C-alpha cells in the first residue's frame, strides 16, 4: 500500500501484509516480523528506524493494508504531538508517536468483534469482523479542525478453516480457507473517530 513520507524528519512510513500461508501457522513459528506491522525507514539511507507489529504470528489474515496518514493528535498527557495513524482490519484506528513508533492509543472498536483470536480449525471457527473486515484497502480521511478520522469498515462474519498445504510455487498460499457464513448479514460502515481520545463519535 502507498507509504506516507515525512519530509521534515526524512522518514517513510509503510504498512506490511500478512505472513504466508495465511491460516496455517505451524510452518512459520515465531512473530513473523515484520508482517502485520507499521515500519518506519530513513528516507535517505533506507535504514530501519522503528516498527510496531499489530498482530504477531497472524493466522486470521488481519494484515495492515490501509495507508498510513501523518497528522497530529494528543498524547497521553494531553500534549499535541506529531503522529502517524493507521486503520486496522481489526476494526481499530491506531495512533503512533511519529518519532519513536510508540502506540499512544487505539480506538474503540468500529465494527462488531467476536472470537477475535480464536484459532482456525479443520471444521471452521467463527470470527468477525472477518478476513476482509475492519478497515481493509480503503484509505482514511482526517479533519484536523474536528479532530476526527473517518474510516470505511466492513462487517463480514466468517469461518476460518485450517489445512496443511505445500507451497504452490508462486501462487496464493492460504493454508486453508475463510468463508462467509450463509444467512449472516454483511455490511459496510463509515465511522468517525476522535483522534485525541479514540472514542467513536458516530457511524
Amino acid at each position: 500500500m502507498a507509504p506516507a513520507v515525512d519530509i521534515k524528519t526524512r522518514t517513510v512510513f509503510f504498512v506490511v501484509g500478512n505472513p504466508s500461508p495465511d491460516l496455517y501457522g505451524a510452518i512459520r513459528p515465531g512473530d513473523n516480523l515484520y508482517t502485520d506491522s507499521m515500519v518506519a525507514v530513513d528516507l535517505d539511507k533506507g535504514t530501519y528506524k522503528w516498527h510496531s507489529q499489530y498482530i504477531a504470528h497472524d493466522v486470521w489474515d488481519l494484515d495492515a493494508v490501509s495507508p498510513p496518514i501523518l497528522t497530529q493528535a494528543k498524547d497521553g498527557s494531553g500534549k499535541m504531538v506529531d503522529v502517524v495513524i493507521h486503520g486496522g482490519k481489526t476494526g481499530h484506528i491506531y495512533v503512533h508517536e511519529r518519532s519513536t513508533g510508540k502506540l499512544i492509543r487505539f480506538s474503540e472498536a468500529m465494527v462488531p468483534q467476536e472470537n477475535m483470536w480464536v484459532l482456525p480449525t479443520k471444521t471452521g471457527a467463527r470470527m468477525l469482523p472477518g478476513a476482509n473486515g475492519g478497515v481493509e484497502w480503503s484509505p482514511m480521511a482526517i479533519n484536523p479542525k474536528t479532530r476526527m478520522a473517518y474510516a470505511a469498515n466492513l462487517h463480514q462474519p466468517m469461518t476460518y478453516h485450517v489445512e496443511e498445504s505445500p507451497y504452490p510455487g508462486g501462487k496464493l498460499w492460504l493454508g486453508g480457507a475463510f468463508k462467509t457464513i450463509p444467512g449472516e448479514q454483511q455490511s459496510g460502515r463509515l465511522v468517525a473517530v476522535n483522534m485525541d481520545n479514540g472514542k467513536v463519535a458516530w457511524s
Side-chain angles (χ1 to χ4, degrees):
M1 188 45 80
V5 181
D6 184 345
I7 296 298
K8 184 172 67 175
T9 64
R10 311 296 294 170
T11 307
V12 180
F13 305 90
F14 62 94
V15 288
V16 185
N18 54 275
S20 195
D22 292 41
L23 308 178
Y24 181 59
I27 201 170
R28 47 174 176 82
D31 289 348
N32 305 144
L33 290 175
Y34 293 87
T35 60
D36 293 49
S37 301
M38 182 181 290
V39 181
V41 169
D42 186 288
L43 177 63
D44 300 306
K45 301 174 185 175
T47 51
Y48 167 93
K49 283 193 168 183
W50 57 257
H51 79 277
S52 181
Q53 188 174 39
Y54 300 112
I55 302 171
H57 192 78
D58 179 15
V59 291
W60 305 276
D61 199 82
L62 294 177
D63 43 317
V65 291
S66 183
I69 296 177
L70 305 181
T71 184
Q72 289 191 317
K74 290 181 180 178
D75 64 12
S77 66
K79 178 184 176 184
M80 196 69 77
V81 296
D82 289 338
V83 298
V84 54
I85 68 173
H86 165 69
K89 288 174 73 173
T90 56
H92 300 287
I93 291 177
Y94 299 89
V95 180
H96 298 271
E97 190 176 89
R98 209 184 300 177
S99 59
T100 66
K102 175 186 175 184
L103 182 63
I104 296 173
R105 72 182 55 88
F106 62 91
S107 73
E108 296 177 335
M110 296 180 283
V111 286
Q113 297 174 330
E114 185 179 317
N115 294 332
M116 279 288 287
W117 312 118
V118 66
L119 293 176
T121 65
K122 287 186 178 294
T123 56
R126 185 177 185 276
M127 192 276 270
L128 52 97
N132 302 316
V135 186
E136 198 186 25
W137 301 102
S138 304
M140 295 190 298
I142 60 168
N143 185 332
K145 292 181 180 178
T146 63
R147 312 301 310 137
M148 296 294 175
Y150 305 92
N153 284 259
L154 183 63
H155 165 71
Q156 192 176 43
M158 288 183 164
T159 52
Y160 283 75
H161 304 257
V162 68
E163 181 180 319
E164 184 176 356
S165 59
Y167 177 58
K171 298 177 183 176
L172 181 65
W173 192 20
L174 291 178
F178 33 83
K179 303 175 182 178
T180 55
I181 304 172
E184 290 216 28
Q185 185 177 5
Q186 303 175 43
S187 60
R189 177 179 287 180
L190 182 65
V191 184
V193 171
N194 186 305
M195 295 182 288
D196 294 332
N197 59 25
K199 301 290 186 183
V200 170
W202 55 257
S203 66

